[in-house]
Short mmCIF file of all heavy atoms in Angstrom, two decimals:
data_model
loop_
_atom_site.label_atom_id
_atom_site.label_comp_id
_atom_site.label_asym_id
_atom_site.label_seq_id
_atom_site.Cartn_x
_atom_site.Cartn_y
_atom_site.Cartn_z
N MET E 112 51.86 -20.34 -50.10
CA MET E 112 51.25 -20.61 -51.38
C MET E 112 49.85 -21.12 -51.11
O MET E 112 49.60 -21.82 -50.13
CB MET E 112 52.14 -21.58 -52.14
CG MET E 112 51.49 -22.87 -52.56
SD MET E 112 52.55 -23.99 -53.45
CE MET E 112 53.01 -25.06 -52.14
N LYS E 113 48.93 -20.78 -51.98
CA LYS E 113 47.56 -21.28 -51.88
C LYS E 113 47.33 -22.27 -53.00
O LYS E 113 47.61 -21.98 -54.16
CB LYS E 113 46.56 -20.14 -51.96
CG LYS E 113 45.15 -20.58 -51.63
CD LYS E 113 44.28 -19.40 -51.27
CE LYS E 113 42.99 -19.90 -50.68
NZ LYS E 113 42.20 -18.82 -50.14
N LEU E 114 46.82 -23.45 -52.64
CA LEU E 114 46.57 -24.52 -53.61
C LEU E 114 45.08 -24.67 -53.85
O LEU E 114 44.26 -24.38 -52.97
CB LEU E 114 47.13 -25.83 -53.08
CG LEU E 114 48.62 -25.86 -52.76
CD1 LEU E 114 48.99 -27.18 -52.10
CD2 LEU E 114 49.43 -25.65 -54.02
N TYR E 115 44.74 -25.16 -55.03
CA TYR E 115 43.35 -25.38 -55.43
C TYR E 115 43.22 -26.79 -56.00
O TYR E 115 44.08 -27.24 -56.76
CB TYR E 115 42.96 -24.36 -56.50
CG TYR E 115 41.64 -24.65 -57.19
CD1 TYR E 115 40.45 -24.16 -56.68
CD2 TYR E 115 41.59 -25.43 -58.35
CE1 TYR E 115 39.24 -24.42 -57.31
CE2 TYR E 115 40.38 -25.70 -58.98
CZ TYR E 115 39.22 -25.19 -58.45
OH TYR E 115 38.03 -25.45 -59.07
N ARG E 116 42.16 -27.46 -55.63
CA ARG E 116 41.83 -28.76 -56.23
C ARG E 116 40.33 -28.80 -56.47
O ARG E 116 39.55 -28.18 -55.75
CB ARG E 116 42.16 -29.92 -55.27
CG ARG E 116 43.59 -30.15 -55.02
CD ARG E 116 43.83 -31.16 -53.93
NE ARG E 116 43.32 -32.48 -54.28
CZ ARG E 116 43.05 -33.43 -53.39
NH1 ARG E 116 43.22 -33.21 -52.11
NH2 ARG E 116 42.61 -34.60 -53.79
N PHE E 117 39.93 -29.54 -57.48
CA PHE E 117 38.51 -29.80 -57.72
C PHE E 117 38.30 -31.30 -57.58
O PHE E 117 38.82 -32.08 -58.38
CB PHE E 117 38.07 -29.32 -59.10
CG PHE E 117 36.59 -29.45 -59.31
CD1 PHE E 117 35.71 -28.56 -58.73
CD2 PHE E 117 36.07 -30.48 -60.07
CE1 PHE E 117 34.34 -28.68 -58.90
CE2 PHE E 117 34.70 -30.62 -60.25
CZ PHE E 117 33.84 -29.71 -59.67
N LEU E 118 37.58 -31.68 -56.55
CA LEU E 118 37.29 -33.09 -56.31
C LEU E 118 36.00 -33.45 -57.04
O LEU E 118 35.04 -32.68 -57.02
CB LEU E 118 37.12 -33.33 -54.80
CG LEU E 118 38.27 -32.87 -53.91
CD1 LEU E 118 37.92 -33.05 -52.44
CD2 LEU E 118 39.54 -33.59 -54.27
N SER E 119 35.98 -34.61 -57.66
CA SER E 119 34.76 -35.05 -58.35
C SER E 119 34.63 -36.55 -58.22
O SER E 119 35.59 -37.26 -57.93
CB SER E 119 34.81 -34.64 -59.82
OG SER E 119 35.90 -35.27 -60.47
N GLY E 120 33.42 -37.01 -58.41
CA GLY E 120 33.17 -38.44 -58.35
C GLY E 120 31.70 -38.74 -58.44
O GLY E 120 30.86 -37.83 -58.53
N PRO E 121 31.35 -40.02 -58.41
CA PRO E 121 29.95 -40.42 -58.48
C PRO E 121 29.21 -39.98 -57.21
O PRO E 121 29.81 -39.79 -56.16
CB PRO E 121 30.01 -41.94 -58.59
CG PRO E 121 31.33 -42.31 -57.98
CD PRO E 121 32.25 -41.17 -58.26
N ASP E 122 27.91 -39.82 -57.35
CA ASP E 122 27.07 -39.42 -56.21
C ASP E 122 26.84 -40.63 -55.31
O ASP E 122 25.79 -41.27 -55.33
CB ASP E 122 25.74 -38.86 -56.73
CG ASP E 122 24.81 -38.42 -55.60
OD1 ASP E 122 25.32 -38.13 -54.51
OD2 ASP E 122 23.59 -38.40 -55.83
N ASP E 123 27.87 -40.96 -54.54
CA ASP E 123 27.75 -42.05 -53.56
C ASP E 123 28.67 -41.74 -52.39
O ASP E 123 29.30 -40.69 -52.34
CB ASP E 123 28.05 -43.41 -54.20
CG ASP E 123 29.45 -43.53 -54.76
OD1 ASP E 123 30.34 -42.73 -54.38
OD2 ASP E 123 29.68 -44.44 -55.58
N SER E 124 28.78 -42.66 -51.47
CA SER E 124 29.56 -42.40 -50.26
C SER E 124 31.04 -42.20 -50.55
O SER E 124 31.74 -41.53 -49.79
CB SER E 124 29.36 -43.51 -49.24
OG SER E 124 29.85 -44.73 -49.73
N SER E 125 31.55 -42.75 -51.67
CA SER E 125 32.98 -42.59 -51.97
C SER E 125 33.33 -41.11 -52.18
O SER E 125 34.42 -40.67 -51.80
CB SER E 125 33.38 -43.42 -53.19
OG SER E 125 32.81 -42.91 -54.38
N PHE E 126 32.41 -40.35 -52.76
CA PHE E 126 32.67 -38.92 -52.95
C PHE E 126 32.70 -38.21 -51.59
O PHE E 126 33.58 -37.40 -51.33
CB PHE E 126 31.61 -38.28 -53.85
CG PHE E 126 31.79 -36.80 -53.99
CD1 PHE E 126 32.81 -36.30 -54.78
CD2 PHE E 126 30.98 -35.91 -53.32
CE1 PHE E 126 33.01 -34.93 -54.90
CE2 PHE E 126 31.17 -34.54 -53.44
CZ PHE E 126 32.18 -34.05 -54.23
N CYS E 127 31.77 -38.54 -50.72
CA CYS E 127 31.76 -37.94 -49.38
C CYS E 127 33.04 -38.28 -48.62
O CYS E 127 33.60 -37.42 -47.94
CB CYS E 127 30.54 -38.41 -48.60
SG CYS E 127 28.98 -37.88 -49.32
N HIS E 128 33.52 -39.50 -48.75
CA HIS E 128 34.77 -39.89 -48.09
C HIS E 128 35.95 -39.13 -48.68
O HIS E 128 36.87 -38.74 -47.95
CB HIS E 128 35.00 -41.40 -48.21
CG HIS E 128 34.09 -42.20 -47.33
ND1 HIS E 128 34.28 -42.31 -45.97
CD2 HIS E 128 32.98 -42.91 -47.62
CE1 HIS E 128 33.34 -43.07 -45.45
NE2 HIS E 128 32.54 -43.45 -46.44
N LYS E 129 35.95 -38.88 -49.98
CA LYS E 129 37.03 -38.13 -50.64
C LYS E 129 37.08 -36.70 -50.09
O LYS E 129 38.16 -36.19 -49.76
CB LYS E 129 36.80 -38.10 -52.15
CG LYS E 129 37.91 -37.47 -52.95
CD LYS E 129 37.60 -37.35 -54.42
CE LYS E 129 37.50 -38.69 -55.10
NZ LYS E 129 37.40 -38.56 -56.58
N VAL E 130 35.92 -36.06 -49.97
CA VAL E 130 35.87 -34.69 -49.44
C VAL E 130 36.26 -34.69 -47.97
O VAL E 130 37.03 -33.84 -47.51
CB VAL E 130 34.48 -34.07 -49.66
CG1 VAL E 130 34.38 -32.71 -48.98
CG2 VAL E 130 34.19 -33.93 -51.15
N THR E 131 35.75 -35.64 -47.21
CA THR E 131 36.08 -35.74 -45.78
C THR E 131 37.58 -35.92 -45.57
O THR E 131 38.19 -35.29 -44.70
CB THR E 131 35.30 -36.89 -45.12
OG1 THR E 131 33.90 -36.62 -45.25
CG2 THR E 131 35.65 -37.04 -43.65
N ALA E 132 38.21 -36.77 -46.37
CA ALA E 132 39.66 -36.99 -46.26
C ALA E 132 40.42 -35.69 -46.53
O ALA E 132 41.37 -35.36 -45.81
CB ALA E 132 40.11 -38.08 -47.22
N ALA E 133 39.99 -34.94 -47.55
CA ALA E 133 40.66 -33.67 -47.87
C ALA E 133 40.50 -32.68 -46.71
O ALA E 133 41.46 -32.01 -46.32
CB ALA E 133 40.09 -33.08 -49.16
N LEU E 134 39.31 -32.58 -46.14
CA LEU E 134 39.08 -31.67 -45.02
C LEU E 134 39.96 -32.03 -43.83
O LEU E 134 40.51 -31.16 -43.15
CB LEU E 134 37.60 -31.70 -44.60
CG LEU E 134 36.61 -31.14 -45.61
CD1 LEU E 134 35.18 -31.37 -45.14
CD2 LEU E 134 36.87 -29.67 -45.89
N ASN E 135 40.14 -33.31 -43.58
CA ASN E 135 40.97 -33.76 -42.46
C ASN E 135 42.46 -33.61 -42.73
O ASN E 135 43.27 -33.76 -41.81
CB ASN E 135 40.62 -35.20 -42.09
CG ASN E 135 39.35 -35.25 -41.27
OD1 ASN E 135 39.36 -34.90 -40.10
ND2 ASN E 135 38.26 -35.63 -41.90
N LYS E 136 42.83 -33.29 -43.97
CA LYS E 136 44.23 -32.99 -44.30
C LYS E 136 44.46 -31.49 -44.41
O LYS E 136 45.49 -31.04 -44.92
CB LYS E 136 44.62 -33.67 -45.62
CG LYS E 136 44.69 -35.18 -45.50
CD LYS E 136 45.07 -35.81 -46.82
CE LYS E 136 45.12 -37.32 -46.70
NZ LYS E 136 45.44 -37.96 -47.98
N GLY E 137 43.51 -30.70 -43.96
CA GLY E 137 43.68 -29.25 -43.91
C GLY E 137 43.10 -28.47 -45.07
O GLY E 137 43.22 -27.26 -45.12
N TRP E 138 42.48 -29.15 -46.05
CA TRP E 138 41.85 -28.45 -47.16
C TRP E 138 40.54 -27.84 -46.67
O TRP E 138 39.92 -28.35 -45.74
CB TRP E 138 41.58 -29.41 -48.31
CG TRP E 138 42.84 -29.92 -48.95
CD1 TRP E 138 43.60 -30.97 -48.52
CD2 TRP E 138 43.48 -29.39 -50.10
NE1 TRP E 138 44.68 -31.13 -49.35
CE2 TRP E 138 44.64 -30.19 -50.32
CE3 TRP E 138 43.21 -28.35 -50.96
CZ2 TRP E 138 45.51 -29.93 -51.37
CZ3 TRP E 138 44.09 -28.11 -52.01
CH2 TRP E 138 45.22 -28.89 -52.21
N GLU E 139 40.12 -26.73 -47.29
CA GLU E 139 38.88 -26.05 -46.93
C GLU E 139 37.97 -25.99 -48.14
O GLU E 139 38.42 -25.83 -49.27
CB GLU E 139 39.18 -24.64 -46.44
CG GLU E 139 40.01 -24.63 -45.17
CD GLU E 139 40.27 -23.23 -44.66
OE1 GLU E 139 39.72 -22.26 -45.24
OE2 GLU E 139 41.02 -23.10 -43.69
N LEU E 140 36.66 -26.11 -47.88
CA LEU E 140 35.68 -26.01 -48.96
C LEU E 140 35.76 -24.62 -49.59
O LEU E 140 35.95 -23.63 -48.89
CB LEU E 140 34.27 -26.25 -48.42
CG LEU E 140 34.01 -27.61 -47.78
CD1 LEU E 140 32.58 -27.65 -47.23
CD2 LEU E 140 34.24 -28.74 -48.75
N SER E 141 35.58 -24.56 -50.89
CA SER E 141 35.61 -23.30 -51.62
C SER E 141 34.42 -23.28 -52.57
O SER E 141 34.39 -24.00 -53.57
CB SER E 141 36.92 -23.18 -52.39
OG SER E 141 36.96 -21.98 -53.13
N GLY E 142 33.45 -22.44 -52.25
CA GLY E 142 32.26 -22.35 -53.10
C GLY E 142 31.28 -23.48 -52.86
O GLY E 142 31.47 -24.33 -51.99
N SER E 143 30.26 -23.50 -53.66
CA SER E 143 29.19 -24.48 -53.53
C SER E 143 29.55 -25.77 -54.27
O SER E 143 30.27 -25.74 -55.27
CB SER E 143 27.89 -23.93 -54.12
OG SER E 143 27.49 -22.78 -53.42
N PRO E 144 29.01 -26.89 -53.81
CA PRO E 144 29.23 -28.14 -54.55
C PRO E 144 28.45 -28.11 -55.86
O PRO E 144 27.52 -27.33 -56.03
CB PRO E 144 28.68 -29.21 -53.61
CG PRO E 144 27.73 -28.50 -52.73
CD PRO E 144 28.21 -27.09 -52.61
N THR E 145 28.85 -28.97 -56.79
CA THR E 145 28.15 -29.09 -58.06
C THR E 145 27.56 -30.49 -58.17
O THR E 145 28.02 -31.43 -57.51
CB THR E 145 29.08 -28.84 -59.25
OG1 THR E 145 30.13 -29.82 -59.23
CG2 THR E 145 29.68 -27.45 -59.21
N TYR E 146 26.57 -30.62 -59.02
CA TYR E 146 25.85 -31.87 -59.18
C TYR E 146 25.37 -31.92 -60.62
O TYR E 146 24.70 -31.00 -61.08
CB TYR E 146 24.67 -31.86 -58.20
CG TYR E 146 24.01 -33.16 -57.93
CD1 TYR E 146 24.71 -34.25 -57.42
CD2 TYR E 146 22.65 -33.30 -58.15
CE1 TYR E 146 24.07 -35.44 -57.13
CE2 TYR E 146 22.00 -34.49 -57.86
CZ TYR E 146 22.72 -35.56 -57.34
OH TYR E 146 22.09 -36.74 -57.05
N ALA E 147 25.76 -32.96 -61.36
CA ALA E 147 25.40 -33.01 -62.78
C ALA E 147 25.19 -34.46 -63.23
O ALA E 147 25.78 -35.38 -62.67
CB ALA E 147 26.48 -32.36 -63.63
N PHE E 148 24.39 -34.62 -64.26
CA PHE E 148 24.14 -35.94 -64.84
C PHE E 148 25.18 -36.23 -65.90
O PHE E 148 25.42 -35.44 -66.80
CB PHE E 148 22.73 -35.99 -65.44
CG PHE E 148 22.39 -37.32 -66.04
CD1 PHE E 148 22.15 -38.42 -65.23
CD2 PHE E 148 22.32 -37.47 -67.41
CE1 PHE E 148 21.84 -39.66 -65.78
CE2 PHE E 148 22.00 -38.70 -67.98
CZ PHE E 148 21.76 -39.80 -67.15
N ASN E 149 25.83 -37.40 -65.80
CA ASN E 149 26.79 -37.85 -66.80
C ASN E 149 26.05 -38.77 -67.77
O ASN E 149 25.74 -39.92 -67.43
CB ASN E 149 27.96 -38.58 -66.12
CG ASN E 149 29.02 -39.04 -67.10
OD1 ASN E 149 28.75 -39.30 -68.26
ND2 ASN E 149 30.24 -39.15 -66.60
N ALA E 150 25.76 -38.28 -68.95
CA ALA E 150 24.97 -39.05 -69.92
C ALA E 150 25.71 -40.29 -70.41
O ALA E 150 25.08 -41.29 -70.77
CB ALA E 150 24.61 -38.17 -71.12
N THR E 151 27.03 -40.27 -70.40
CA THR E 151 27.82 -41.41 -70.84
C THR E 151 27.66 -42.60 -69.90
O THR E 151 27.48 -43.74 -70.33
CB THR E 151 29.30 -41.05 -70.97
OG1 THR E 151 29.41 -39.96 -71.87
CG2 THR E 151 30.13 -42.21 -71.48
N THR E 152 27.73 -42.33 -68.58
CA THR E 152 27.64 -43.41 -67.59
C THR E 152 26.23 -43.60 -67.05
O THR E 152 25.95 -44.61 -66.41
CB THR E 152 28.58 -43.13 -66.40
OG1 THR E 152 28.13 -41.94 -65.72
CG2 THR E 152 30.02 -42.98 -66.86
N GLY E 153 25.37 -42.61 -67.26
CA GLY E 153 24.02 -42.67 -66.72
C GLY E 153 23.96 -42.43 -65.23
O GLY E 153 22.99 -42.79 -64.57
N GLU E 154 25.01 -41.80 -64.68
CA GLU E 154 25.08 -41.55 -63.24
C GLU E 154 25.13 -40.06 -62.93
O GLU E 154 25.57 -39.27 -63.76
CB GLU E 154 26.35 -42.19 -62.64
CG GLU E 154 26.41 -43.69 -62.76
CD GLU E 154 27.71 -44.23 -62.21
OE1 GLU E 154 28.78 -43.60 -62.43
OE2 GLU E 154 27.67 -45.29 -61.58
N MET E 155 24.72 -39.72 -61.73
CA MET E 155 24.90 -38.36 -61.24
C MET E 155 26.33 -38.24 -60.73
O MET E 155 26.87 -39.18 -60.15
CB MET E 155 23.91 -38.04 -60.13
CG MET E 155 22.46 -37.99 -60.59
SD MET E 155 22.15 -36.78 -61.90
CE MET E 155 22.37 -35.25 -61.02
N GLN E 156 26.95 -37.08 -60.96
CA GLN E 156 28.32 -36.80 -60.54
C GLN E 156 28.32 -35.59 -59.60
O GLN E 156 27.55 -34.66 -59.81
CB GLN E 156 29.20 -36.48 -61.76
CG GLN E 156 29.29 -37.60 -62.77
CD GLN E 156 30.17 -38.73 -62.28
OE1 GLN E 156 31.31 -38.53 -61.89
NE2 GLN E 156 29.62 -39.93 -62.30
N CYS E 157 29.19 -35.63 -58.61
CA CYS E 157 29.34 -34.53 -57.66
C CYS E 157 30.71 -33.88 -57.85
O CYS E 157 31.65 -34.54 -58.30
CB CYS E 157 29.27 -35.05 -56.23
SG CYS E 157 27.73 -35.82 -55.80
N GLY E 158 30.81 -32.63 -57.48
CA GLY E 158 32.09 -31.93 -57.52
C GLY E 158 32.16 -30.91 -56.40
O GLY E 158 31.13 -30.35 -56.00
N GLN E 159 33.37 -30.69 -55.89
CA GLN E 159 33.57 -29.70 -54.84
C GLN E 159 34.98 -29.15 -54.95
O GLN E 159 35.95 -29.92 -54.99
CB GLN E 159 33.37 -30.32 -53.46
CG GLN E 159 33.68 -29.39 -52.30
CD GLN E 159 32.73 -28.21 -52.22
OE1 GLN E 159 31.52 -28.39 -52.12
NE2 GLN E 159 33.25 -27.00 -52.28
N ALA E 160 35.09 -27.82 -55.01
CA ALA E 160 36.40 -27.18 -55.00
C ALA E 160 36.89 -27.08 -53.56
O ALA E 160 36.10 -26.84 -52.64
CB ALA E 160 36.31 -25.79 -55.62
N VAL E 161 38.19 -27.28 -53.38
CA VAL E 161 38.82 -27.12 -52.07
C VAL E 161 40.12 -26.34 -52.24
O VAL E 161 40.75 -26.40 -53.31
CB VAL E 161 39.10 -28.48 -51.39
CG1 VAL E 161 37.81 -29.17 -50.99
CG2 VAL E 161 39.94 -29.40 -52.26
N THR E 162 40.49 -25.59 -51.22
CA THR E 162 41.75 -24.84 -51.24
C THR E 162 42.51 -25.11 -49.95
O THR E 162 41.94 -25.54 -48.94
CB THR E 162 41.51 -23.32 -51.38
OG1 THR E 162 40.73 -22.87 -50.27
CG2 THR E 162 40.82 -22.98 -52.69
N LYS E 163 43.81 -24.85 -50.01
CA LYS E 163 44.67 -25.03 -48.84
C LYS E 163 45.84 -24.08 -48.93
O LYS E 163 46.45 -23.94 -50.00
CB LYS E 163 45.17 -26.47 -48.78
CG LYS E 163 46.03 -26.79 -47.58
CD LYS E 163 46.43 -28.26 -47.61
CE LYS E 163 47.18 -28.68 -46.40
NZ LYS E 163 47.55 -30.11 -46.44
N THR E 164 46.17 -23.42 -47.83
CA THR E 164 47.35 -22.57 -47.76
C THR E 164 48.49 -23.38 -47.17
O THR E 164 48.32 -24.00 -46.11
CB THR E 164 47.08 -21.31 -46.92
OG1 THR E 164 45.99 -20.58 -47.53
CG2 THR E 164 48.30 -20.43 -46.84
N VAL E 165 49.61 -23.41 -47.87
CA VAL E 165 50.80 -24.14 -47.42
C VAL E 165 51.92 -23.12 -47.27
O VAL E 165 52.25 -22.42 -48.23
CB VAL E 165 51.19 -25.24 -48.42
CG1 VAL E 165 52.45 -25.95 -47.98
CG2 VAL E 165 50.06 -26.23 -48.60
N HIS E 166 52.48 -23.04 -46.09
CA HIS E 166 53.57 -22.10 -45.83
C HIS E 166 54.92 -22.77 -46.06
O HIS E 166 55.08 -23.97 -45.84
CB HIS E 166 53.48 -21.57 -44.40
CG HIS E 166 52.19 -20.87 -44.12
ND1 HIS E 166 51.95 -19.59 -44.56
CD2 HIS E 166 51.08 -21.26 -43.47
CE1 HIS E 166 50.73 -19.23 -44.19
NE2 HIS E 166 50.18 -20.23 -43.52
N GLY E 167 55.88 -22.00 -46.53
CA GLY E 167 57.24 -22.47 -46.67
C GLY E 167 57.53 -23.27 -47.93
O GLY E 167 58.59 -23.87 -48.05
N LYS E 168 56.60 -23.31 -48.86
CA LYS E 168 56.82 -24.00 -50.13
C LYS E 168 56.46 -23.08 -51.26
O LYS E 168 55.64 -22.18 -51.11
CB LYS E 168 55.95 -25.26 -50.22
CG LYS E 168 56.36 -26.39 -49.33
CD LYS E 168 55.56 -27.63 -49.68
CE LYS E 168 55.99 -28.80 -48.84
NZ LYS E 168 55.24 -30.01 -49.19
N GLU E 169 57.06 -23.33 -52.42
CA GLU E 169 56.71 -22.59 -53.63
C GLU E 169 55.99 -23.54 -54.57
O GLU E 169 56.29 -24.73 -54.62
CB GLU E 169 57.96 -22.02 -54.29
CG GLU E 169 58.57 -20.88 -53.51
CD GLU E 169 59.65 -20.17 -54.30
OE1 GLU E 169 59.59 -20.16 -55.55
OE2 GLU E 169 60.54 -19.61 -53.65
N TYR E 170 55.07 -23.00 -55.33
CA TYR E 170 54.30 -23.80 -56.28
C TYR E 170 55.20 -24.37 -57.36
O TYR E 170 56.08 -23.70 -57.89
CB TYR E 170 53.19 -22.96 -56.91
CG TYR E 170 52.46 -23.72 -57.98
CD1 TYR E 170 51.60 -24.75 -57.66
CD2 TYR E 170 52.66 -23.43 -59.33
CE1 TYR E 170 50.94 -25.47 -58.63
CE2 TYR E 170 52.02 -24.13 -60.31
CZ TYR E 170 51.15 -25.16 -59.96
OH TYR E 170 50.51 -25.87 -60.94
N ASP E 171 54.96 -25.63 -57.68
CA ASP E 171 55.64 -26.32 -58.78
C ASP E 171 54.57 -27.11 -59.52
O ASP E 171 53.85 -27.89 -58.91
CB ASP E 171 56.71 -27.26 -58.22
CG ASP E 171 57.43 -28.05 -59.29
OD1 ASP E 171 56.97 -28.11 -60.44
OD2 ASP E 171 58.48 -28.64 -58.96
N PRO E 172 54.43 -26.91 -60.85
CA PRO E 172 53.36 -27.61 -61.57
C PRO E 172 53.48 -29.13 -61.54
O PRO E 172 52.51 -29.83 -61.83
CB PRO E 172 53.48 -27.09 -63.01
CG PRO E 172 54.66 -26.22 -63.07
CD PRO E 172 55.18 -26.00 -61.70
N ASP E 173 54.61 -29.66 -61.14
CA ASP E 173 54.78 -31.12 -61.05
C ASP E 173 54.37 -31.68 -59.69
O ASP E 173 54.34 -32.90 -59.51
CB ASP E 173 56.23 -31.51 -61.36
CG ASP E 173 56.61 -31.22 -62.80
OD1 ASP E 173 55.72 -31.35 -63.68
OD2 ASP E 173 57.76 -30.87 -63.05
N MET E 174 54.07 -30.81 -58.71
CA MET E 174 53.73 -31.31 -57.39
C MET E 174 52.38 -32.03 -57.39
O MET E 174 51.50 -31.69 -58.18
CB MET E 174 53.75 -30.19 -56.34
CG MET E 174 52.66 -29.17 -56.49
SD MET E 174 52.60 -27.82 -55.26
CE MET E 174 54.18 -27.72 -54.56
N LYS E 175 52.25 -33.02 -56.57
CA LYS E 175 50.99 -33.73 -56.40
C LYS E 175 50.19 -32.97 -55.35
O LYS E 175 50.52 -33.00 -54.16
CB LYS E 175 51.24 -35.16 -55.98
CG LYS E 175 52.08 -35.92 -56.99
CD LYS E 175 51.55 -37.30 -57.16
CE LYS E 175 52.42 -38.07 -58.14
NZ LYS E 175 51.88 -38.13 -59.42
N LEU E 176 49.14 -32.27 -55.78
CA LEU E 176 48.40 -31.39 -54.89
C LEU E 176 47.79 -32.13 -53.71
O LEU E 176 47.77 -31.62 -52.60
CB LEU E 176 47.32 -30.65 -55.67
CG LEU E 176 47.83 -29.71 -56.76
CD1 LEU E 176 46.67 -29.11 -57.53
CD2 LEU E 176 48.72 -28.64 -56.17
N GLY E 177 47.30 -33.33 -53.91
CA GLY E 177 46.67 -34.09 -52.83
C GLY E 177 47.64 -34.50 -51.74
O GLY E 177 47.23 -34.86 -50.65
N GLU E 178 48.94 -34.44 -52.03
CA GLU E 178 49.94 -34.82 -51.03
C GLU E 178 50.47 -33.64 -50.25
O GLU E 178 51.33 -33.79 -49.40
CB GLU E 178 51.10 -35.55 -51.73
CG GLU E 178 50.67 -36.87 -52.36
CD GLU E 178 51.79 -37.53 -53.14
OE1 GLU E 178 52.93 -37.02 -53.15
OE2 GLU E 178 51.50 -38.57 -53.76
N GLN E 179 49.96 -32.45 -50.52
CA GLN E 179 50.46 -31.25 -49.82
C GLN E 179 49.72 -31.04 -48.52
O GLN E 179 48.65 -31.47 -48.30
CB GLN E 179 50.32 -30.04 -50.73
CG GLN E 179 51.03 -30.16 -52.03
CD GLN E 179 52.49 -30.49 -51.91
OE1 GLN E 179 53.23 -29.84 -51.19
NE2 GLN E 179 52.92 -31.51 -52.61
#
């Protein structure tokens, strides 16, 4: 099964750590990162899609994707 997640967060080191943690758990970058201004918070936000292939499991909408 192939899984998809979209990671997002503020433009600071916490976002980089979130992406790094996903990469070290076997997730792969998918596409270009995004960068946008959040007018509500007044902060820049980052986003990055990641995918991961997991063998021997079937998709279940209740599964926690970050734990796969």
